[in-house]
Amino acid sequence: MAMSSNLDPIIAIATAPGRGGIGVIRISGSGLRPWAEGLCGQPLKDRHAHFLRFVDRHGEIMDEGLALFFPGPHSYTGEDVLELQGHGGPAVLQRVLQDCLARGQAMGLRLAQPGEYTQRAFLNDRLDLAQAEAVADLIEASSLAAARSAMASLSGAFSAEIQVLSGAIVQLRTLVEATLDFPEEEIDFLEKYQAAERLRAVLEHLEQVLQTARSGLVLREGLHVVLAGQPNVGKSSLLNALAGDEIAIVTPIAGTTRDRVVQDIHIDGVPLHVVDTAGLRETDDPVERLGIARSWAEIARAQVIVHLQDARQPGDALDEAIVARLPAGTPVLNVFNKVDLLDDVARAAPGASVAARQAVAGGPVPGGPIEALAVSARTGEGLDALRTRLLQIAGRTPGSESPWLARARHVQALEAAQGHLQQAAAHAAHSDEVLDLFAEELRLAHEALGEITGEFSSDDLLGQIFSSFCIGK
């Protein structure tokens, strides 16, 4: 989306499509008051609700409702804003909208593009870029936890952290630039101003912000969890148990699931995109082979793999072959299902399976780099432990909340800033011989942080961000 001009007044229906009790039409532009008062047929008191009839340019009553005028810069967009609140029927809203467009043709009134109101709020310094993105995140929040964190971002909690980090870097930049400008002073910059210690403190703070941002990213986008394993180990039953509904077809016949089944669930406010896949095995059935290929494709892009096994037959050759093909670096939970079918002797025997011993112990059994958990999809045994572990992988603990939401670009910018600061720390080890390189890495780190709040942002980035908003916001 091209950057819009603040000179053009814009209009849009601000409420969601469909029928509703109330519908809102929002108009924003500079110097809007004379036109707004002419439209409403009376003077408009600032931030005051005026009850009136909406009369078209031919004198016919279209609707009745409220008109509110917000003078710039003390409005959402920073411009003059007129809101017309009437009945929420699509036909009546469109009628009022089209009449306003006809009346505003002379002054260039046009339909707003997606996100253009919030874009103008950003361009007029009413919001920074992270806060502007939080507007969309608040609207799209799929859980109470996400809504709270989005509101915290909109209120400036995330931006405040970035400003503290940027301020500390600016102080270092000021000192080092002064040293570079006056080399005759022969100041040992790194030692005199404790630059290395200051930089270390900034890096520690940045690491804390980065970890919180990663948690906020999971809260916003969710965690991609793939249930993998050989046929008839209970993947579909586990999906149904986690979802609390009969999402996937369950039968005793191995290979019932031929294609992936995706279900979005929430655990303590964190969205999980759980994928049930076809059982992994060698087969001559062309349809099943296609399903298995899709299963491996899902596994390749998983953020967490739940490798499900039958607790009665753990660790057989096929499961070992599956483990050997799992992607390196992806967290794997080795989950043993059907523990309810183990008898007491099998659970307590010295040679019992990992799942059986865990069921007796009532908690996870260390199993090397791949954790072991025991569950019963049929009775619910062990499901709470599985949910808790998935939350921990997502960077959360039960009952906790992320202080703010984050997006992938925020995490990438923080990681870039961290890399530049680490490089600056490496230059600092060479004393003042490389102060110019030290200063350059500080500048690059500062710019990376500025991309988050919009201090350093390209028009292409802004267009991409705001084009994803709904119309009217």
Side-chain angles (χ1 to χ4, degrees), residues 248-309:
I249 297 173
V250 176
T251 75
I253 303 171
T256 298
T257 302
R258 295 297 186 97
D259 201 357
R260 65 176 193 151
V261 178
V262 184
Q263 178 64 26
D264 291 342
I265 66 174
H266 286 81
I267 299 178
D268 206 26
V270 177
L272 300 183
H273 312 299
V274 185
V275 184
D276 176 23
T277 59
L280 304 174
R281 64 176 177 180
E282 295 294 330
T283 179
D284 294 327
D285 185 328
V287 177
E288 188 176 359
R289 288 176 63 182
L290 181 59
I292 291 171
R294 291 182 177 182
S295 296
W296 282 113
E298 286 292 336
I299 290 170
R301 66 189 191 92
Q303 292 176 291
V304 181
I305 299 169
V306 174
H307 178 204
L308 207 62
Q309 301 180 51

Side-chain angles (χ1 to χ4, degrees), residues 99-123:
D99 185 73
C100 289
L101 281 169
R103 290 180 178 226
Q105 187 175 9
M107 66 174 183
L109 180 65
R110 60 174 175 81
L111 290 173
Q113 300 178 47
E116 192 166 2
Y117 292 97
T118 305
Q119 183 188 53
R120 292 191 176 196
F122 166 70
L123 294 174

Side-chain angles (χ1 to χ4, degrees), residues 174-393:
T174 301
L175 293 172
V176 70
E177 294 290 350
T179 302
L180 290 171
D181 288 342
F182 301 100
E184 65 277 4
E185 298 290 336
E186 297 183 356
I187 298 175
D188 188 343
F189 166 77
L190 295 173
E191 181 176 347
K192 180 178 180 63
Y193 296 109
Q194 298 181 314
E197 289 78 4
R198 289 188 179 195
L199 182 57
R200 188 158 43 248
V202 174
L203 274 167
E204 289 175 357
H205 186 193
L206 178 57
E207 177 62 26
Q208 295 171 1
V209 174
L210 181 56
Q211 291 302 321
T212 305
R214 287 170 177 157
S215 177
L217 177 62
V218 170
L219 182 59
R220 179 182 181 271
E221 298 187 354
L223 200 65
H224 190 70
V225 180
V226 174
L227 308 181
Q230 55 181 294
N232 208 27
V233 293
K235 297 184 297 296
S236 297
S237 297
L238 181 59
L239 173 64
N240 291 342
L242 290 172
D245 198 1
E246 296 298 320
I247 304 300
I249 297 173
V250 176
T251 75
I253 303 171
T256 298
T257 302
R258 295 297 186 97
D259 201 357
R260 65 176 193 151
V261 178
V262 184
Q263 178 64 26
D264 291 342
I265 66 174
H266 286 81
I267 299 178
D268 206 26
V270 177
L272 300 183
H273 312 299
V274 185
V275 184
D276 176 23
T277 59
L280 304 174
R281 64 176 177 180
E282 295 294 330
T283 179
D284 294 327
D285 185 328
V287 177
E288 188 176 359
R289 288 176 63 182
L290 181 59
I292 291 171
R294 291 182 177 182
S295 296
W296 282 113
E298 286 292 336
I299 290 170
R301 66 189 191 92
Q303 292 176 291
V304 181
I305 299 169
V306 174
H307 178 204
L308 207 62
Q309 301 180 51
D310 191 323
R312 300 167 298 176
Q313 299 174 331
D316 64 13
L318 181 52
D319 281 318
E320 291 179 0
I322 291 172
V323 170
R325 284 191 61 181
L326 296 180
T330 303
V332 176
L333 294 179
N334 207 20
V335 178
F336 294 88
N337 188 29
K338 305 184 182 181
V339 293
D340 56 297
L341 300 180
L342 295 173
D343 58 30
D344 293 338
V345 175
R347 289 181 181 231
S353 68
V354 171
R357 287 186 282 113
Q358 178 176 344
V360 173
V365 173
I370 300 179
E371 294 183 70
L373 295 170
V375 303
S376 169
R378 186 174 69 87
T379 67
E381 179 180 354
L383 291 186
D384 285 343
L386 176 58
R387 293 187 183 100
T388 298
R389 189 64 191 102
L390 289 171
L391 274 182
Q392 291 171 345
I393 293 174

Side-chain angles (χ1 to χ4, degrees), residues 113-179:
Q113 300 178 47
E116 192 166 2
Y117 292 97
T118 305
Q119 183 188 53
R120 292 191 176 196
F122 166 70
L123 294 174
N124 293 327
D125 296 324
R126 297 291 293 166
L127 301 169
D128 65 32
L129 193 54
Q131 289 175 296
E133 290 170 308
V135 173
D137 293 339
L138 182 61
I139 294 171
E140 297 170 1
S142 59
S143 69
L144 180 59
R148 285 174 173 167
S149 297
M151 191 63 230
S153 294
L154 179 56
S155 299
F158 182 28
S159 301
E161 294 283 1
I162 300 304
Q163 289 167 4
V164 170
L165 288 168
S166 296
I169 293 174
V170 167
Q171 288 182 349
L172 273 173
R173 289 187 65 191
T174 301
L175 293 172
V176 70
E177 294 290 350
T179 302

